[in-house]
Amino acid sequence: MKTLIEFINEKQADFPYATGEFSRILNDIGIAAKIVNREVNRAGLANILGYEGSENVQGEAQKKLDVFANNEFLKALKNGGQCCAVASEENENLVTFESDFSNKGRYVVAIDPLDGSSNIEVNVSIGTIFTIYRRLSETGKPGTVEDLLQKGLQIAAAGYVIYGSSTMLVYSTGKGVNAFTYDPSVGLFILSHPELRIPPKGNIYSINEASYIYFPEGVKEYLRYCQEDHPESHRPYTTRYIGSLVADFHRNLIRGGIYMYPGTRKKPQGKLRLLYECIPIAFLAEQAGGKASDGFRRILEIQPRHLHERSPFYVGTTEMVEKVEYFMKYFSPEFEIKD
Ligand code: P6P
């Protein structure tokens, strides 16, 4: 039985900046994840689920769970002292901590504190998604937006927490993907899935087909390819769509498959956020032997332009992503987004 802390310390030597600071920032995220996990698991109780402005059983001002989660991750990153700035889905502007302690931090974090939070009230898995970069700006001052607007190729680490039938922390520092299952009886994340790899063959596709009529022709052609009988597939496809990126990706990571959130004519950039949804999941996919693109470009090579930028997203088993890219190139070249 190997705990997250033991694993981080053991792997610290693998990390070129093995100063211990990086290990501490991962640990800070793990601590916040435990606290959020407790509240997510209690969300079904009376009043806990309430929305901002209501009161919970202790008569405390109720916060929406995603606001609660955001506060917990920001608090953990601020108190840890390794992080000098955060881009959060919950904050329009960059969050800096305005303290000499934090300004000495050498890392910045992009985070979706509780992705898919609308699923909480129907008891469906949700997740936290995070990206960690080394800062580019001068240490000793607050972090800057430019510290966050780095290509995914520069990632120091990325991961997610999935609050599901069990709570898991899945992350990579560029040396493969490892997953830790939370044991609430001892309050520890335990290594349960070392060296995860996406199966090279998959027959699961995840997409919200309610938007079918707005999809690019290339996506329609790919869905047709999945649904028709044809010689090279030799397998029936199946569709699974949970409506929670972390849950859909996690299943495809284990079983093989593809998750798609296309751009449409109305919204050519799609819905998902580049910085704290697409890039971290793309990093994990590639680290597990998979692929991630916007239909034309490798996600990790896209230069983010602003904190809450959106991107079309196709991620999962390499041959499935490449098949979509083939159809997009020949049926929907007009959807290519130029840098
Ligand atoms: P739709 C959740 O809001 C999210 O960002 C992802 O977790 C999820 O995959 C997607 O949006 C669901 O979007 O439009 O299908 O409801």
Side-chain angles (χ1 to χ4, degrees):
M1 186 176 97
K2 188 170 290 182
T3 66
L4 175 64
I5 302 299
E6 288 165 345
F7 184 85
I8 291 173
N9 292 336
E10 178 187 291
K11 295 295 182 185
Q12 189 166 274
D14 285 351
F15 200 67
Y17 303 82
T19 61
E21 288 173 346
F22 180 71
S23 304
R24 281 196 291 276
I25 198 168
L26 274 178
N27 186 46
D28 295 339
I29 289 171
I31 291 169
K34 293 178 189 176
I35 295 168
V36 170
N37 174 64
R38 185 190 62 206
E39 290 306 304
V40 166
N41 288 342
R42 296 195 322 181
L45 298 177
N47 297 329
I48 293 280
L49 189 64
Y51 292 102
E52 235 170 331
S54 63
E55 289 198 342
N56 65 18
V57 289
Q58 288 81 24
E60 295 154 354
Q62 178 59 43
K63 294 186 179 67
K64 277 176 68 177
L65 266 176
D66 39 14
V67 173
F68 171 83
N70 192 46
N71 292 345
E72 286 306 315
F73 281 101
L74 289 178
K75 187 166 46 173
L77 291 169
K78 176 179 181 179
N79 296 340
Q82 312 310 326
C83 173
C84 63
V86 178
S88 170
E89 196 264 349
E90 292 292 326
N91 298 84
E92 185 55 35
N93 301 313
L94 185 72
V95 178
T96 55
F97 302 118
E98 304 307 331
S99 79
D100 291 343
F101 178 59
S102 295
N103 290 346
K104 293 193 181 83
R106 288 154 32 121
Y107 296 92
V108 294
V109 173
I111 191 165
D112 188 348
L114 209 56
D115 179 70
S117 52
S118 59
N119 285 311
I120 293 172
E121 57 195 340
V122 293
N123 205 11
V124 164
S125 300
I126 53 180
T128 298
I129 313 170
F130 63 89
T131 314
I132 304 173
Y133 291 106
R134 288 169 208 86
R135 73 182 302 174
L136 303 174
S137 58
E138 185 185 345
T139 306
K141 296 178 179 174
T144 65
V145 170
E146 288 65 36
D147 286 327
L148 274 298
L149 298 182
Q150 299 185 52
K151 292 182 180 181
L153 294 172
Q154 305 306 321
I155 280 181
Y160 59 81
V161 181
I162 178 169
Y163 310 97
S165 50
S166 63
T167 292
M168 293 179 74
L169 171 64
V170 182
Y171 84 93
S172 173
T173 60
K175 302 277 187 185
V177 178
N178 292 281
F180 300 78
T181 298
Y182 185 56
D183 180 348
S185 68
V186 290
L188 293 170
F189 280 103
I190 310 295
L191 180 62
S192 54
H193 299 70
E195 297 304 320
L196 274 172
R197 304 290 292 171
I198 293 185
K201 297 284 183 191
N203 71 342
I204 298 172
Y205 66 84
S206 308
I207 191 169
N208 186 340
E209 295 196 55
S211 306
Y212 180 86
I213 57 172
Y214 302 111
F215 287 162
E217 275 312 305
V219 170
K220 293 180 178 178
E221 284 297 322
Y222 178 69
L223 293 178
R224 213 166 282 133
Y225 167 83
C226 293
Q227 291 159 8
E228 285 168 348
D229 290 330
H230 38 73
E232 76 264 28
S233 75
H234 300 304
R235 58 184 179 275
Y237 284 70
T238 188
T239 181
R240 291 284 185 274
Y241 191 71
I242 300 172
S244 181
L245 169 60
V246 169
D248 278 313
F249 176 74
H250 186 75
R251 182 205 50 250
N252 293 348
L253 174 64
I254 305 290
R255 296 248 179 95
I258 185 170
Y259 170 96
M260 298 175 275
Y261 208 103
T264 62
R265 293 205 189 295
K266 288 193 294 185
K267 296 180 180 174
Q269 302 277 15
K271 171 186 182 183
L272 298 189
R273 307 289 187 171
L274 181 60
L275 222 57
Y276 40 76
E277 290 181 308
C278 301
I279 285 178
I281 296 296
F283 179 73
L284 291 168
E286 290 198 5
Q287 284 294 313
K291 188 165 186 175
S293 91
D294 68 353
F296 300 89
R297 298 174 297 173
R298 183 184 176 200
I299 290 288
L300 298 189
E301 292 177 352
I302 296 176
Q303 173 57 57
R305 300 283 178 227
H306 58 82
L307 296 183
H308 303 289
E309 179 173 350
R310 300 175 192 269
S311 172
F313 195 41
Y314 304 86
V315 62
T317 292
T318 296
E319 72 164 18
M320 299 176 84
V321 175
E322 288 177 343
K323 183 65 86 174
V324 178
E325 289 176 327
Y326 167 80
F327 284 119
M328 288 298 285
K329 181 175 178 181
Y330 288 97
F331 292 97
S332 307
E334 72 281 9
F335 273 82
E336 182 167 5
I337 299 168
K338 309 286 187 190
D339 239 344

